[in-house]
Amino acid sequence: MRNTFKTVNNGTTPNGRRRKDEQLKRTDLHTCLAGSSCTFEPSYLLGASTTGQAAVAKHALRTTGMMGVPVLCVVVLASISQSLSLQIQKPLYESQSSQENGSLDGSSCDSRTEQQVFTNSHNFSVNIRMPGVVPAGSDTYLCKAFTVPTTEDAYIVDFIPHASMDTVHHMILFGCQTPVSTSNYWDCGSAQGTCEDEASIMYAWARNAPPTKLPKDVGFKVGKKSGMSYFVLQVHYGDASAFRDHHKDCSGLTLKMTSKPQPFIAGIYLLMSVDTVILPGKRVTNADIACDYMSYPIYPFAFRTHTHHLGKVVSGYRIRDGKWTLIGRQSPQLPQAFYPANKEVNVNYGDTIAARCVFTGEGRTSKTYIGGTSADEMCNFYIMYYMDSKHAVPYMNCMETGSEELFQHIPAEANTPIAVSPGQMMHMAHSKDNADNTLSVEPKKAELVLDQDYHLEQVSAWPQSRLQLGQVSGLALDSDYNLVIFHRGDHRWGADTFSSLYRYQQRYLGPIQQSTILVVDPAKGNILKASGRNMFYLPHGITTDKENNYWVTDVALHQVLKVSSDGRDRILLALGEAFTPGSDSNHFCQPTDVAVDTKTGNIFVSDGYCNSRILKFTADGDYLAEFGAGSSDRRRRVPFNIPHSLVYLPDKQEVCVADRENGRIQCFIAETGEFVKEIKKVEFGGEVFAITYSPVGDGLIFAVNGQSQSHSVPLEGFVINYSTEDILATFSPNTKDFRMPHDIVETSDGSVFVADVASNSVFKFTTEKFHRSVKKAGIEVQELQEMQTIIQTKLRPDHNASKTAAMPEKQTVAKQPQSYEEPEEKEKKKSAAKLNREAGVLSVIITTLLLVPLLIVVTVGLFICWRRNRRYEVKSEPSSVGGILGKIRGKAVGSLNLGNFFASHKGYSRQGFDQLSTEGSDQERNDEDSSDSENEEYSALPPPQSSS
């Protein structure tokens, strides 16, 4: 069992022919119902469920000429109705009998595997069974994968087990995207595990436990957007002597499912001990587990305990403000079902979840360890919970050993064994009372805010006073959650800023004399602190670390600098050689951004405009490694094309890159540089300029795109679900459009700031939260709003550390005073508002009536002038290609970047200089034909190919 949870990964594909047959059956049925001729064979459609039904239907076919199609369809539909009713009842019968008959012959197993029973347009059942297996020995773990039988989202609302403890030690149902195998069952007790990617436990069964029915409006989400395309059934066969008669086992589950969206998503929180040692002969050994809970509220509605033979009692608790509240307590020697949890318990951010397993070593002559065999032990406490659908996390676990100080205060009941007779252990689930002991718990009553749309609106009144900014290239947050702006003062990036070999051509201007780093109040926009004078030539990216130092990149210097934030402008560390481009471990070429690993202090550098790589250094600047682009298609690996922005994801220990000109986001394991995933959307329009990250829910990536020559899409921001890669929302300014959004950062209260390099401005956006309330879960709306604020304030900054400083351990959230008005005042205000609206409508009507004649006169006049001047038109010369393209994003054809052409002749490797796009401004133009391109970034067109 230890290996199972280590890798938590595995699978087998269903019988494609069987699914196709089922689809054909349903298609024929729909054709008949629609009034078309029913040409299918009734025995095929009905699966020859009864001889009588088939005979009646065939007789109807033979007499079609006499009776007509309507009569035939009536007969067939009557047979179908009876057959479907029998099929629907069949799984219910199996759920009661197959605990004693889980082991069948192989042919019976095949007929039960992947059987789907549709009860109506939304509800259906899926049977998943082992395909007639014989374990090779005792304590064998076998797994089989099944595809989720829908391309859309679906929800499991009921689990019906088909197994006997005489044969099966336990069963676990996992959900994942990539099982270890999709062809057949496999041994998953080895290093293979269950799934290649992260697996989520959805159900567990042992000791003849009865079925588990979820509360109304609650379901385990699987399918399209859940990240779970496969079920993986794991069966642990304990004693192989049960197979001496050479029978084949097809134990498994029937899943009752629905395609109707459920407002609450179920999940499993597993507390598990991994290092407990039970001493031989020792009367009592405790295994204690405890973890702090750091996510949105969960509402436990069921619990399950699991140990082997030595476990006496398992208890789970929520600890809040030092008070222990029981979630559930049970003997693991009873049927290991999911039992109803304490109805009064919810778990919020900052609570502690704890569990204790009590063991006895009496009768043992050697130490007993946690392990996967029957001779080993386990200490598992499962919590089945629900969360609102927007913040749902399908699986969480805790394996940390609880401290002795904490467990000194555990209630005495946790140490009191629950007496169980031998008859209860073996036969409890077979009694009539327990055969119907399905878990059906109604969600608790009270107000719960269900969901938050990630809708962002511009705060047009921010900043309250104007900020004097140059080209704004970078944004970050400091340790006090203030906004840090990095801008270029009076320097601009233009077509002549760099030579063809990327050497800065404007050193004669000297460093920027203005303060390039501004610390700004995120609420009002007033400047709190200014620094960075006479230090930088062409700023680009900025990030803060946990000591609140600034990590900045300067594309003119070709350097990465660590700068103090104390106002003294001290350079604490410099990486790269000033004004010297290069592609080795000691040089950069126009580096763009830095991300900081909050755990190790290591830094990642995106390098950059003329190199296509990410470099990794220690906090002291020692070179560690570098890596290039990854690929989700093994046949084709596309290198980076301006890695422009970086963000570190502490909760996933990954670093993600905005690969600008490739229009994609790529993520890598921070430790190894191994490729994880790619997010590429048509909506990006071929360019992604910047990204930042929030750990809320499954993780959110905030991104901004850029203007592309090959795509015509709006410039806007995106809110992306990290796990599903779905775009949840888009946003853009209300007052004026983005011109070139260049960097993005999210603050602790959920506000988002975007730097626009072309308009010398910073935009602020805030969320509009649309809520709908239902009776659920035991907390008031105000409580959840405060909890959400606490989560955003405490959780986000720590996990968004590539753009913010590390989070202090504790923080208080001040409550805003509420204002109340008397009823009379409210009525007066309503009346006044109504009068104002009516007056406004009247004025609009009058204005429109006055403007219509004027518009007609103007239109007629313009038409006459056009007709008169048309005779004297002179056809102008065609505009040059360079003139046209030179105005697109400030690109100038006349200033080709010949980096590729010269690289092989000037001592630079082609690998380091294969990017042709640069950033800049100040196009040569006539004052009469002035455009807004002077603040835009410059990207030259590719050079002509060398004939050699």
Side-chain angles (χ1 to χ4, degrees):
M1 191 68 177
R2 171 179 288 176
N3 290 334
T4 303
F5 292 103
K6 232 169 152 186
T7 30
V8 188
N9 293 328
N10 307 359
T12 310
T13 54
N15 191 317
R17 182 177 180 182
R18 184 176 301 279
R19 183 186 293 111
K20 183 176 181 181
D21 292 346
E22 294 292 334
Q23 292 172 347
L24 288 173
K25 293 177 189 179
R26 291 196 295 275
T27 301
D28 291 338
L29 172 60
H30 292 317
T31 303
C32 181
L33 292 176
S36 303
S37 60
C38 302
T39 59
F40 50 82
E41 187 74 17
S43 60
Y44 168 76
L45 172 68
L46 304 178
S49 55
T50 64
T51 304
Q53 292 170 11
V56 170
K58 288 182 178 179
H59 177 71
L61 279 175
R62 288 194 297 269
T63 58
T64 299
M66 295 181 293
M67 301 174 63
V69 172
V71 176
L72 170 63
C73 287
V74 169
V75 174
V76 173
L77 289 176
S79 301
I80 293 171
S81 175
Q82 182 179 359
S83 174
L84 288 178
S85 66
L86 291 174
Q87 289 183 12
I88 294 169
Q89 294 170 5
K90 185 178 181 181
L92 300 179
Y93 167 78
E94 289 175 351
S95 69
Q96 296 179 7
S97 64
S98 64
Q99 291 183 2
E100 299 168 321
N101 195 27
S103 302
L104 305 172
D105 61 271
S107 59
S108 300
C109 290
D110 291 338
S111 66
R112 293 162 185 259
T113 301
E114 199 68 0
Q115 183 184 40
Q116 300 176 33
V117 180
F118 291 80
T119 57
N120 57 42
S121 59
H122 295 293
N123 303 330
F124 57 97
S125 298
V126 177
N127 279 355
I128 54 177
R129 300 290 193 99
M130 297 305 293
V133 302
V134 178
S138 297
D139 293 312
T140 297
Y141 287 78
L142 297 181
C143 287
K144 181 173 172 57
F146 305 82
T147 53
V148 174
T150 174
T151 57
E152 301 300 322
D153 290 333
Y155 304 83
I156 305 172
V157 296
D158 197 354
F159 299 90
I160 301 175
H162 309 297
S164 168
M165 66 179 291
D166 296 334
T167 304
V168 174
H169 181 273
H170 75 255
M171 297 188 298
I172 296 179
L173 181 67
F174 297 92
C176 67
Q177 192 70 29
T178 310
V180 165
S181 173
T182 57
S183 58
N184 204 345
Y185 68 91
W186 70 94
D187 183 350
C188 52
S190 63
Q192 288 188 92
T194 54
C195 295
E196 298 288 354
D197 59 339
E198 184 177 359
S200 299
I201 297 175
M202 292 185 286
Y203 178 74
W205 172 95
R207 290 188 169 274
N208 292 343
T212 299
K213 184 178 178 62
L214 272 62
K216 184 180 178 182
D217 297 329
V218 176
F220 283 87
K221 186 176 181 180
V222 297
K224 183 177 181 181
K225 297 181 181 178
S226 67
M228 300 184 201
S229 300
Y230 284 86
F231 300 121
V232 176
L233 176 66
Q234 180 196 76
V235 180
H236 175 195
Y237 296 98
D239 187 0
S241 63
F243 290 86
R244 287 174 180 171
D245 58 356
H246 304 291
H247 70 268
K248 296 180 179 180
D249 182 70
C250 57
S251 299
L253 299 166
T254 295
L255 308 179
K256 295 293 188 70
M257 302 179 67
T258 181
S259 60
K260 293 181 65 175
Q262 301 297 292
F264 298 93
I265 305 302
I268 294 287
Y269 191 114
L270 171 62
L271 294 96
M272 179 173 66
S273 175
V274 296
D275 55 5
T276 298
V277 179
I278 303 169
L279 299 178
K282 187 175 181 180
R283 186 168 177 268
V284 175
T285 297
N286 295 328
D288 295 334
I289 315 106
C291 288
D292 294 333
Y293 183 73
M294 296 294 179
S295 189
Y296 283 94
I298 60 174
Y299 305 96
F301 60 89
F303 73 97
R304 175 181 178 268
T305 64
H306 178 70
T307 71
H308 296 171
H309 303 293
L310 304 184
K312 295 299 183 182
V313 63
V314 181
S315 309
Y317 295 87
R318 178 205 69 193
I319 307 172
R320 179 181 296 170
D321 298 327
K323 181 180 178 181
W324 292 64
T325 302
L326 182 69
I327 296 174
R329 173 175 173 267
Q330 187 58 280
S331 168
Q333 304 308 321
L334 292 173
Q336 292 181 3
F338 278 95
Y339 296 90
N342 184 346
K343 294 182 179 180
E344 304 305 318
V345 178
N346 58 61
V347 181
N348 292 339
Y349 182 96
D351 292 343
T352 298
I353 304 179
R356 166 171 282 182
C357 299
V358 178
F359 297 97
T360 180
E362 294 178 334
R364 290 291 177 103
T365 58
S366 59
K367 294 179 180 179
T368 304
Y369 298 88
I370 299 295
T373 73
S374 300
D376 297 319
E377 265 301 341
M378 288 187 180
C379 169
N380 295 352
F381 185 82
Y382 294 81
I383 299 172
M384 194 178 284
Y385 61 82
Y386 61 82
M387 302 177 74
D388 82 79
S389 58
K390 283 291 184 183
H391 300 142
V393 180
Y395 175 68
M396 295 180 271
N397 61 50
C398 171
M399 303 181 193
E400 296 181 15
T401 302
S403 67
E404 293 182 4
E405 294 79 9
L406 178 67
F407 279 84
Q408 286 177 356
H409 306 286
I410 192 171
E413 64 190 357
N415 302 311
T416 305
I418 295 176
V420 179
S421 68
Q424 284 179 303
M425 286 191 287
M426 294 298 297
H427 304 293
M428 187 173 183
H430 298 291
S431 68
K432 183 178 185 300
D433 291 339
N434 284 285
D436 297 327
N437 184 26
T438 59
L439 175 69
S440 182
V441 188
E442 286 299 320
K444 293 162 265 189
K445 308 289 185 181
E447 290 285 331
L448 169 66
V449 179
L450 261 185
D451 58 15
Q452 170 189 340
D453 287 342
Y454 299 101
H455 181 72
L456 290 163
E457 288 289 339
Q458 182 191 3
V459 181
S460 56
W462 192 96
Q464 295 180 3
S465 57
R466 186 182 177 189
L467 296 171
Q468 298 292 331
L469 301 172
Q471 292 181 329
V472 185
S473 60
L475 297 176
L477 296 179
D478 67 9
S479 58
D480 295 320
Y481 314 110
N482 296 314
L483 181 66
V484 182
I485 299 174
F486 198 29
H487 73 109
R488 296 172 183 163
D490 58 2
H491 284 205
R492 287 176 172 80
W493 190 338
D496 300 324
T497 303
F498 291 90
S499 72
S500 60
L501 293 179
Y502 304 102
R503 292 188 179 273
Y504 184 56
Q505 300 296 293
Q506 298 172 343
R507 292 179 63 175
Y508 60 88
L509 296 175
I512 302 169
Q513 296 181 12
Q514 295 91 354
S515 296
T516 56
I517 301 176
L518 303 178
V519 180
V520 175
D521 178 6
K524 299 180 179 180
N526 55 297
I527 297 176
L528 304 176
K529 186 169 60 173
S531 61
R533 294 169 59 92
N534 297 308
M535 296 183 69
F536 308 111
Y537 287 80
L538 213 55
H540 200 275
I542 186 168
T543 304
T544 57
D545 61 20
K546 60 184 179 181
E547 283 85 25
N548 206 30
N549 299 307
Y550 303 134
W551 289 89
V552 303
T553 61
D554 188 309
V555 290
L557 288 170
H558 301 288
Q559 284 185 305
V560 175
L561 304 174
K562 180 181 179 182
V563 181
S564 66
S565 63
D566 56 9
R568 292 188 284 175
D569 290 340
R570 293 176 299 147
I571 296 179
L572 306 177
L573 180 66
L575 300 178
E577 183 179 352
F579 299 109
T580 305
S583 58
D584 56 31
S585 60
N586 297 316
H587 293 85
F588 306 105
C589 190
Q590 296 176 344
T592 54
D593 203 7
V594 178
V596 180
D597 185 330
T598 54
K599 182 178 180 180
T600 65
N602 294 335
I603 67 164
F604 299 85
V605 179
S606 50
D607 182 38
Y609 281 91
C610 34
N611 288 331
S612 303
R613 58 181 183 169
I614 308 300
L615 293 94
K616 181 179 178 182
F617 299 86
T618 67
D620 297 326
D622 296 328
Y623 173 82
L624 294 176
E626 65 182 76
F627 55 89
S631 176
S632 54
D633 184 352
R634 296 180 180 178
R635 298 168 297 178
R636 183 168 176 262
R637 181 179 176 275
V638 178
F640 288 132
N641 194 347
I642 308 183
H644 195 257
S645 174
L646 291 177
V647 65
Y648 180 73
L649 286 55
D651 56 334
K652 305 182 188 312
Q653 296 184 27
E654 296 175 11
V655 61
C656 293
V657 184
D659 187 9
R660 194 179 98 173
E661 300 299 311
N662 282 324
R664 63 187 181 183
I665 301 166
Q666 290 203 330
C667 298
F668 304 84
I669 297 174
E671 178 65 24
T672 63
E674 179 184 350
F675 175 72
V676 175
K677 70 189 320 183
E678 176 178 296
I679 302 174
K680 188 169 185 175
K681 299 290 184 181
V682 175
E683 292 85 348
F684 295 162
E687 296 203 359
V688 180
F689 266 63
I691 54 175
T692 191
Y693 177 75
S694 168
V696 170
D698 294 333
L700 300 176
I701 291 179
F702 296 84
V704 288
N705 66 346
Q707 196 173 61
S708 171
Q709 289 182 346
S710 58
H711 299 80
S712 178
V713 298
L715 301 186
E716 57 189 348
F718 303 89
V719 185
I720 305 165
N721 184 301
Y722 171 88
S723 297
T724 66
E725 303 177 13
D726 293 329
I727 296 176
L728 305 178
T730 61
F731 57 94
S732 59
N734 301 324
T735 54
K736 57 182 179 179
D737 293 335
F738 284 136
R739 287 177 52 194
M740 187 169 288
H742 194 267
D743 202 5
I744 185 170
V745 70
E746 190 220 17
T747 63
S748 58
D749 65 354
S751 298
V752 173
F753 291 87
V754 176
D756 193 293
V757 75
S759 62
N760 298 359
S761 57
V762 178
F763 296 91
K764 179 180 180 179
F765 302 86
T766 57
T767 55
E768 287 186 357
K769 300 172 184 177
F770 301 98
H771 300 296
R772 56 191 175 93
S773 297
V774 296
K775 294 293 181 181
K776 285 284 187 198
I779 62 172
E780 298 297 329
V781 174
Q782 182 62 32
E783 291 179 6
L784 190 65
Q785 289 173 338
E786 292 175 5
M787 179 62 65
Q788 183 162 306
T789 303
I790 292 172
I791 292 173
Q792 290 174 339
T793 302
K794 290 188 174 182
L795 186 61
R796 283 182 174 175
D798 185 49
H799 290 278
N800 200 15
S802 115
K803 289 291 178 186
T804 87
M807 179 75 179
E809 289 188 6
K810 293 188 178 180
Q811 233 188 64
T812 58
V813 179
K815 294 184 180 180
Q816 299 296 327
Q818 299 183 6
S819 59
Y820 299 92
E821 296 177 338
E822 295 297 327
E824 293 81 5
E825 287 295 319
K826 291 183 179 180
E827 290 301 323
K828 289 179 182 179
K829 289 186 177 183
K830 288 181 181 178
S831 300
K834 185 176 181 181
L835 289 173
N836 289 336
R837 286 195 299 271
E838 293 174 351
V841 172
L842 182 60
S843 64
V844 169
I845 294 173
I846 293 173
T847 303
T848 303
L849 292 175
L850 291 174
L851 286 176
V852 168
L854 179 60
L855 291 173
I856 293 174
V857 172
V858 172
T859 303
V860 172
L862 291 174
F863 178 77
I864 292 171
C865 292
W866 175 75
R867 290 294 301 271
R868 179 178 300 171
N869 293 333
R870 187 177 183 186
R871 295 177 306 209
Y872 305 103
E873 282 185 346
V874 178
K875 188 173 182 181
S876 60
E877 293 183 6
S879 300
S880 68
V881 176
I884 295 173
L885 295 180
K887 294 179 181 179
I888 301 176
R889 293 186 59 215
K891 293 177 173 65
V893 175
S895 300
L896 291 178
N897 184 330
L898 301 180
N900 251 8
F901 181 77
F902 288 109
S904 60
H905 300 282
K906 297 294 183 179
Y908 294 108
S909 68
R910 184 176 179 86
Q911 179 182 1
F913 289 87
D914 58 354
Q915 304 306 321
L916 302 176
S917 296
T918 59
E919 178 182 36
S921 64
D922 280 350
Q923 301 302 324
E924 295 184 16
R925 57 199 170 112
N926 296 326
D927 292 338
E928 296 176 357
D929 188 29
S930 177
S931 72
D932 292 330
S933 66
E934 66 171 315
N935 293 327
E936 296 183 5
E937 299 206 359
Y938 172 78
S939 290
L941 297 179
Q945 295 297 320
S946 172
S947 59
S948 59

